[in-house]
Amino acid sequence: MKSPKPYFTNNVFELEESATERKALLEKIQSFSEDFIDTLDTQKAFHYDTHAATERDFFFKINRDKESLDDILAFFKERVVDTGLNPASGGHLGYIPGGGIYSSALGDYLAAVTNRYAGVFYASPGAVKMEDALIHWTGKLMGFSDGFGGNLTSGGSIANLIALHTAKHQKNITTSKASKSVVYCTSQSHHSIYKALKNIGLETCTIREIPLDSNFRISIPALETQIKHDEHIGLNPFLIIANAGSTDVGAIDPMEKLSNISKTHNIWMHVDAAYGGFFMLTGLGKERLKGIELADSVILDPHKSLFMPYGLGIVLVKNIDHLASAHAYSANYMRDAEMENQYSPADLSPELSKHFRGLRMWLPLKL
């Protein structure tokens, strides 16, 4: 009786390629990439007839077969690149396009090849210092004073979640207090806000959708009236959500006035600046976004107005200790990670294992 055949053998699946094989792979990938970039002006912005399954989709499945890179790239173009939306197309105007920057893609390549673990300072101090530098640059751009902190996230949704969890922890909104706690937002608030509230156990909170003014901004008189009413009936106002460039119409809420209200009533002020935050790099942006530096927390999406590839967001919290306290943890296997006077990304977010996201933003900014 013959012995069972190994699932993988050396001649079928090898983890490490030789220098010659690496060069050949890279040349083909680079050629594919250059062709994609060079033909962008002729590519469709949307392939409307590509969502149905085809016989070619069997190629998605993983099995024992070893495929050539030529066949893989041909399939990738047919069933991935030439399907659905093409955000890199100049004809895609549905929202801020995510065409990406070439040097950002090279940063991701370097991050993947070197595979630094960017979650803990002890494991990769250089990677953490790089990401800290990006957070510091962004926070200073927003006008924050020293003492703030933040995290590079996978996008605005997780950035919102981290910020709102920090607000919940700082304001001591326990499960028993949630039903009497109030969140103030508008119809312009992004759906990730509502999802984040649910994810952090605040779905029983009272959510007040404040009316808009004629410029689609939160109505200050209506907000003040509602907060006073809620306090009068024994509720606990604890969170105001402001927009700095709403997804629907680009509305910017009056942040200086909102800050005054939040301080008067001891309410956490959060600004969703996923779309508009990086317009602080312009003179007009600084004028329109005046007051953003007064927020307790701000989130931004570099994959929007900085044109980074998808998979990068930023959360900033005015007091880094609030952020750290909300995400504190302890474990025997993490003893080496405890560094005096040095926070790790894992101390400031739900993530322990994380992608080294910093290079995709740091490299193009340095260049």
Side-chain angles (χ1 to χ4, degrees):
M1 184 175 181
K2 294 183 177 179
S3 58
K5 183 178 180 181
Y7 190 81
F8 291 121
T9 60
N10 287 337
N11 64 345
V12 174
F13 181 81
E14 295 183 2
L15 288 174
E16 296 186 19
E17 299 87 358
S18 67
T20 301
E21 289 170 326
R22 289 197 301 272
K23 183 178 179 181
L25 289 172
L26 183 59
E27 286 177 349
K28 289 183 178 181
I29 294 287
Q30 187 176 23
S31 176
F32 181 93
S33 302
E34 291 301 316
D35 183 66
F36 173 79
I37 294 170
D38 289 343
T39 60
L40 267 176
D41 59 344
T42 62
Q43 293 176 28
K44 290 184 177 180
F46 179 66
H47 301 266
Y48 66 91
D49 57 351
T50 55
H51 291 76
T54 72
E55 292 183 0
R56 285 282 282 151
D57 286 353
F58 77 90
F59 202 92
F60 281 119
K61 297 181 179 180
I62 307 299
N63 52 39
R64 296 187 181 188
D65 297 335
K66 182 176 181 178
E67 310 289 351
S68 72
L69 183 57
D70 289 331
D71 289 342
I72 292 169
L73 290 176
F75 174 78
F76 177 68
K77 183 178 187 307
E78 177 186 348
R79 297 303 296 149
V80 178
V81 175
D82 293 342
T83 63
L85 289 171
N86 180 7
S89 167
H92 177 53
L93 304 175
Y95 49 88
I96 295 177
I101 294 175
Y102 187 70
S103 57
S104 205
L106 295 179
D108 266 352
Y109 173 77
L110 288 174
V113 168
T114 57
N115 201 28
R116 298 298 91 179
Y117 172 50
V120 172
F121 184 82
Y122 174 84
S124 186
V128 174
K129 287 178 181 179
M130 180 182 291
E131 296 198 348
D132 282 351
L134 292 168
I135 291 164
H136 182 266
W137 175 76
T138 305
K140 287 299 183 181
L141 180 64
M142 295 303 107
F144 277 11
S145 300
D146 290 342
F148 69 89
N151 189 258
L152 299 188
T153 71
S154 60
S157 294
I158 300 302
N160 271 327
L161 186 147
I162 291 172
L164 299 195
H165 172 68
T166 304
K168 172 192 175 184
H169 186 270
Q170 178 60 24
K171 295 300 182 182
N172 193 30
I173 310 299
T174 61
T175 303
S176 61
K177 296 179 181 178
S179 61
K180 286 187 171 292
S181 299
V182 188
V183 177
Y184 303 91
C185 59
T186 71
S187 59
Q188 289 294 302
S189 296
H190 194 266
H191 79 274
S192 63
I193 295 290
Y194 299 93
K195 185 184 289 188
L197 291 170
K198 183 177 181 180
N199 288 342
I200 63 176
L202 294 184
E203 64 267 31
T204 59
C205 278
T206 298
I207 299 178
R208 303 291 196 198
E209 195 170 283
I210 305 301
L212 301 170
D213 66 15
S214 58
N215 291 314
F216 298 94
R217 303 175 304 178
I218 192 169
S219 168
I220 295 299
L223 175 63
E224 291 181 310
T225 299
Q226 186 65 64
I227 290 174
K228 290 176 182 177
H229 170 76
D230 290 338
E231 289 176 334
H232 178 71
I233 63 176
L235 297 180
N236 174 36
F238 93 97
L239 178 63
I240 294 174
I241 307 294
N243 285 309
S246 67
T247 301
D248 281 351
V249 297
I252 300 171
D253 288 322
M255 287 175 282
E256 289 181 304
K257 293 180 180 179
L258 289 177
S259 175
N260 290 334
I261 292 173
S262 68
K263 289 175 181 176
T264 299
H265 298 274
N266 192 28
I267 299 174
W268 185 282
M269 177 180 163
H270 173 65
V271 176
D272 185 339
Y275 264 65
F278 281 111
F279 285 96
M280 285 288 283
L281 288 165
T282 71
L284 179 60
K286 286 183 178 180
E287 178 185 333
R288 296 290 176 87
L289 296 170
K290 190 176 181 181
I292 196 170
E293 73 281 358
L294 302 172
D296 293 294
S297 55
V298 176
I299 71 112
L300 307 94
D301 269 355
H303 76 249
K304 292 188 171 74
S305 44
L306 289 189
F307 296 93
M308 303 294 171
Y310 291 121
L312 183 61
I314 296 179
V315 57
L316 300 170
V317 175
K318 179 170 288 185
N319 187 330
I320 191 173
D321 293 335
H322 293 166
L323 184 59
S325 178
H327 295 89
Y329 66 95
S330 179
N332 290 333
Y333 50 81
M334 294 300 295
R335 282 180 295 179
D336 287 338
E338 297 174 4
M339 305 289 290
E340 188 176 359
N341 299 322
Q342 174 63 52
Y343 285 121
S344 294
D347 298 322
L348 307 174
S349 84
E351 289 186 301
L352 182 55
S353 297
K354 70 180 289 291
H355 175 55
F356 180 16
R357 302 183 181 104
L359 261 171
R360 68 164 58 180
M361 183 174 176
W362 186 83
L363 181 60
L365 287 175
K366 293 295 285 187
L367 288 174

